Amino acid sequence: EIVLTQSPATLSLSPGERATLSCRASQSVSSYLAWYQQKPGQAPRLLIYDASNRATGIPARFSGSGSGTDFTLTISSLEPEDFAVYYCQQRSNWPPAYTFGQGTKLEIK
Amino acid sequence: QVQLVESGGGVVQPGGSLRLSCAASGFTFSSYGMHWVRQAPGKGLEWVAFIRYDGSNKYYADSVKGRFTISRDNSKNTLYLQMNSLRAEDTAVYYCAKDLWFRAFDIWGQGTMVTVSS
């Protein structure tokens, strides 16, 4: 099973700052890496798929990069509504099995 | 608009059964694979099961294999999760989610809570 490790566990920043979140896989996941945002009491929302493609309706301040085992989610300038928990997710080759990272909590400093 | 609405959650005793439903609207349900994903209280996300658009293939997490069954009725635009032999560790919010090319989950329901407790 591929394990995804996110860092840091908690990131404390102020609105307007740049956020960089990391996701490392225990083995290569090619580019089948997605990122989600989850706010308290809400369902997750897809932000990025295939490592770098923004999902429909996602603002341009969110970007994803990486391949193989190391991936990054960048939020260029934090808005108040961006403070939430972020998860990365991958799909294994076949049969499909999906795993998530443990999450990074982005909190207001 | 595109919407997924789960129902069927509740409190059940260990060893009991429960069936969850997920009603889809706003898209051609019969053209897309569908997933169940769960989240234990205060914990992260765990994928549970996936069914292809026509129900021809089904895949499960090891933690639920042999106990849970995913199914769908395309005539009713509804996804199901039959959960048997429930355990305390199955306690979670269960989300249904629309598949994005076998790679991600692009639309999520609001979730339904399942509590396994005596």
Side-chain angles (χ1 to χ4, degrees), chain B residues 2-118:
Chain B
V2 177
Q3 193 172 11
L4 298 170
V5 179
E6 301 94 336
S7 60
V11 180
V12 60
Q13 291 189 340
S17 298
L18 210 57
R19 188 176 85 153
L20 306 182
S21 299
C22 169
S25 60
F27 65 101
T28 306
F29 179 73
S30 58
S31 296
Y32 293 93
M34 295 293 296
H35 300 265
W36 287 98
V37 178
R38 68 184 180 184
Q39 186 170 35
K43 302 297 185 182
L45 299 164
E46 179 187 18
W47 171 75
V48 172
F50 168 60
I51 185 168
R52 293 191 70 162
Y53 70 100
D54 59 357
S56 60
N57 294 92
K58 306 171 186 182
Y59 305 93
Y60 299 92
D62 288 343
S63 58
V64 306
K65 204 171 292 183
R67 301 187 300 123
F68 289 12
T69 302
I70 189 172
S71 63
R72 65 191 298 159
D73 185 338
N74 285 344
S75 68
K76 296 182 178 179
N77 289 345
T78 302
L79 175 73
Y80 302 101
L81 185 68
Q82 177 66 43
M83 304 186 295
N84 298 331
S85 303
L86 282 161
R87 307 166 179 167
E89 54 265 35
D90 295 319
T91 294
V93 174
Y94 284 73
Y95 297 100
C96 62
K98 176 178 163 288
D99 178 70
L100 180 64
W101 303 322
F102 297 95
R103 279 122 80 165
F105 318 107
D106 62 343
I107 304 295
W108 295 65
Q110 85 290 349
T112 187
M113 183 70 203
V114 172
T115 302
V116 183
S117 173
S118 55

Side-chain angles (χ1 to χ4, degrees), chain A residues 22 56 70 74-75 85 95 100:
Chain A
S22 175
T56 302
D70 288 294
T74 301
I75 310 171
V85 178
F100 292 87

Side-chain angles (χ1 to χ4, degrees), chain A residues 4-79:
Chain A
L4 297 178
T5 302
Q6 293 187 239
S7 61
T10 303
L11 184 58
S12 300
L13 295 171
S14 300
E17 292 193 292
R18 182 184 186 90
T20 302
L21 287 67
S22 175
C23 178
R24 177 163 289 178
S26 58
Q27 56 186 279
S28 177
V29 299
S30 183
S31 293
Y32 293 160
L33 195 288
W35 290 93
Y36 301 84
Q37 176 194 68
Q38 188 177 33
K39 297 179 181 179
Q42 296 185 17
R45 176 175 72 146
L46 177 66
L47 300 174
I48 301 288
Y49 65 93
D50 289 356
S52 61
N53 295 307
R54 272 191 304 277
T56 302
I58 302 303
R61 65 181 181 274
F62 291 91
S63 64
S65 62
S67 65
T69 61
D70 288 294
F71 299 87
T72 300
L73 174 69
T74 301
I75 310 171
S76 58
S77 179
L78 286 165
E79 297 289 340

